[in-house]
Amino acid sequence: MIGRKNMGRASPLLLVLLALGFFFAMYNLLTLVIQYKDSSSGAGSGIPDPVIRMPTNLRKLGKSNLKFHVALTATDAPYSQWQCRIMYYWYKKMKNMPGSDMGKFTRVLHSGRGDHLMDEIPTFVVDPLPEGLDRGYIVLNRPWAFVQWLEKATIEEEYILMAEPDHIFANPLPNLAHGDNPAGYPFFYIKPTEREKIVRKFYPEEKGPVTDIDPIGNSPVIIKKSLLEEISPTWVNVSLRMKDDPETDKAFGWVLEMYAYAVASALHGVRHILHEDFMLQPPWDLEVGKRFIIHYTYGCDYNMKGELTYGKIGEWRFDKRSYLSGPPPKNLSLPPPGVPESVVRLVTMVNEATANIPGWDSLNSG
């Protein structure tokens, strides 16, 4: 009789297990539905998950929810200064918005002396490389600047975002890193596997397959400060060795320092979470959507029909290189109808910044 009673009534443990199973099943279903809705109502990318490579065990975790320090390297040239002012303006606007994990901000100025933006933008002055060592490739100063800053500055945040002057924060940026896995952006032109012959000069076979080298540059990257302290000296050394090798210098050109960071990270066994929504690059990326940073490295040239004329100066254009000796004027003309939203958004954000930054027209008076 006792046996029959037990068979007709479920044990409390079984009920708890069934309840948990039902809960997780519903949770997974709801998660899939939400992801589907988000991808359907997004910026037209058609990609439901912007993380294109991430360790499986990390996908179960939430975001790090830790503040990161925003750091960019810069010179005291007018071309660098006006970009830094716009970048800092949008940092201040986005810093305290919901979803942002931005901490403090530093312009790491590798000119060896201060400039007249010291009171406007939080700045830490470091030395450039010894004269002639960069061989006219000024970007080689970037890893050396980070080595000095990390060694000498007081940085409260556990994480660091390595950014650049020509970045504009389009949306509040959360901490996309997970523990010892930094977050990076996959550049379509960084292809270690296609450059294996050259890469092997700096990443020997005993270190592992070339696929262990991420297709990234150093920026944008969100990384633990302790990891960057380890990687930075290697990044300096690899950069200088690559520049000293004629074959590598010719093959990598202006992206040499980016390859150097990717190789240096791999030498330390560091793999990055590749996040496609980290950044967009007009005019090739057509919409901002939920992406976080606008990188305006490319010129935007269009005719008055709104057609891209890349490689040929357009009837309408915005190209940062048009302002090498001084800042762009206020109230730039907006693109003609038909130009992608990303380009319109870029020029609109530049105009807002120049209209509100005090003394914009007197940038070079200091």
Side-chain angles (χ1 to χ4, degrees), residues 20-58:
L20 284 173
F22 178 80
F23 169 78
F24 284 118
M26 288 301 296
Y27 174 81
N28 290 333
L29 178 60
L30 287 171
T31 301
L32 287 172
V33 170
I34 292 170
Q35 288 179 344
Y36 174 78
K37 286 185 176 180
D38 287 345
S39 63
S40 298
S41 60
S45 65
I47 302 174
D49 187 357
V51 180
I52 64 173
R53 202 216 60 228
M54 182 175 184
T56 304
N57 61 320
L58 292 180

Side-chain angles (χ1 to χ4, degrees), residues 175-241:
N175 188 344
L176 303 175
H178 289 273
D180 289 340
N181 288 93
Y185 174 79
F187 288 91
F188 68 88
Y189 48 79
I190 303 296
K191 301 177 179 180
T193 55
E194 295 183 13
R195 301 283 192 171
E196 181 166 4
K197 178 177 177 291
I198 294 175
V199 166
R200 281 302 185 192
K201 295 182 179 184
F202 313 95
Y203 191 74
E205 290 188 11
E206 58 266 27
K207 287 293 184 179
V210 173
T211 52
D212 285 348
I213 302 173
D214 295 322
I216 58 170
N218 80 288
S219 176
V221 163
I222 300 177
I223 185 172
K224 257 188 176 179
K225 180 175 64 175
S226 57
L227 278 179
L228 188 57
E229 288 171 340
E230 295 176 13
I231 293 171
S232 292
T234 307
W235 179 20
V236 173
N237 292 334
V238 174
S239 296
L240 294 175
R241 286 175 55 209

Side-chain angles (χ1 to χ4, degrees), residues 6-314:
N6 287 341
M7 289 177 62
R9 185 173 57 194
S11 70
L13 177 59
L14 179 60
L15 291 174
V16 169
L17 291 175
L18 286 172
L20 284 173
F22 178 80
F23 169 78
F24 284 118
M26 288 301 296
Y27 174 81
N28 290 333
L29 178 60
L30 287 171
T31 301
L32 287 172
V33 170
I34 292 170
Q35 288 179 344
Y36 174 78
K37 286 185 176 180
D38 287 345
S39 63
S40 298
S41 60
S45 65
I47 302 174
D49 187 357
V51 180
I52 64 173
R53 202 216 60 228
M54 182 175 184
T56 304
N57 61 320
L58 292 180
R59 285 184 174 273
K60 300 175 183 178
L61 301 176
K63 67 185 183 68
S64 296
N65 199 30
L66 291 170
K67 296 290 184 182
F68 56 83
H69 195 107
V70 178
L72 72 157
T73 57
T75 74
D76 59 0
Y79 178 63
S80 177
Q81 289 175 329
W82 70 257
Q83 293 175 53
C84 289
R85 299 182 87 191
I86 292 174
M87 200 271 196
Y88 185 57
Y89 172 86
W90 284 103
Y91 155 81
K92 290 189 292 182
K93 287 206 70 171
M94 296 291 174
K95 178 179 182 291
N96 295 318
M97 292 184 66
S100 168
D101 286 327
M102 296 181 191
K104 294 182 178 179
F105 185 103
T106 299
R107 178 182 62 139
V108 184
L109 185 64
H110 54 77
S111 301
R113 61 184 183 275
D115 63 5
H116 63 279
L117 294 182
M118 301 286 287
D119 293 333
E120 178 180 333
I121 304 174
T123 300
F124 192 92
V125 178
V126 298
D127 293 324
L129 288 167
E131 187 175 356
L133 198 58
D134 65 9
R135 300 188 180 184
Y137 182 53
I138 197 169
V139 185
L140 282 186
N141 285 281
R142 182 176 294 154
W144 177 228
F146 272 111
V147 167
Q148 296 174 80
W149 177 62
L150 290 164
E151 180 182 340
K152 299 175 182 178
T154 300
I155 306 164
E156 297 175 0
E157 296 86 350
E158 185 179 355
Y159 288 83
I160 291 169
L161 165 67
M162 291 189 285
E164 297 181 15
D166 60 352
H167 286 178
I168 291 178
F169 292 108
N171 286 300
L173 178 60
N175 188 344
L176 303 175
H178 289 273
D180 289 340
N181 288 93
Y185 174 79
F187 288 91
F188 68 88
Y189 48 79
I190 303 296
K191 301 177 179 180
T193 55
E194 295 183 13
R195 301 283 192 171
E196 181 166 4
K197 178 177 177 291
I198 294 175
V199 166
R200 281 302 185 192
K201 295 182 179 184
F202 313 95
Y203 191 74
E205 290 188 11
E206 58 266 27
K207 287 293 184 179
V210 173
T211 52
D212 285 348
I213 302 173
D214 295 322
I216 58 170
N218 80 288
S219 176
V221 163
I222 300 177
I223 185 172
K224 257 188 176 179
K225 180 175 64 175
S226 57
L227 278 179
L228 188 57
E229 288 171 340
E230 295 176 13
I231 293 171
S232 292
T234 307
W235 179 20
V236 173
N237 292 334
V238 174
S239 296
L240 294 175
R241 286 175 55 209
M242 285 183 171
K243 191 65 179 175
D244 282 340
D245 183 78
E247 182 185 17
T248 305
D249 189 22
K250 181 179 179 181
F252 289 167
W254 64 275
V255 297
L256 181 147
E257 169 267 341
M258 298 172 70
Y259 269 101
Y261 174 79
V263 169
S265 300
L267 287 170
H268 286 269
V270 175
R271 301 302 305 270
H272 294 68
I273 302 164
L274 302 184
H275 204 291
E276 199 171 54
D277 274 7
F278 208 156
M279 189 170 74
L280 71 147
Q281 302 186 97
W284 310 117
D285 296 309
L286 304 182
E287 296 184 7
V288 175
K290 296 180 180 180
R291 299 186 186 191
F292 300 106
I293 294 172
I294 298 176
H295 183 209
Y296 56 99
T297 190
Y298 295 105
C300 300
D301 289 275
Y302 292 87
N303 61 29
M304 298 313 290
K305 297 178 181 179
E307 298 168 336
L308 182 67
T309 62
Y310 193 77
K312 177 183 176 182
I313 294 178

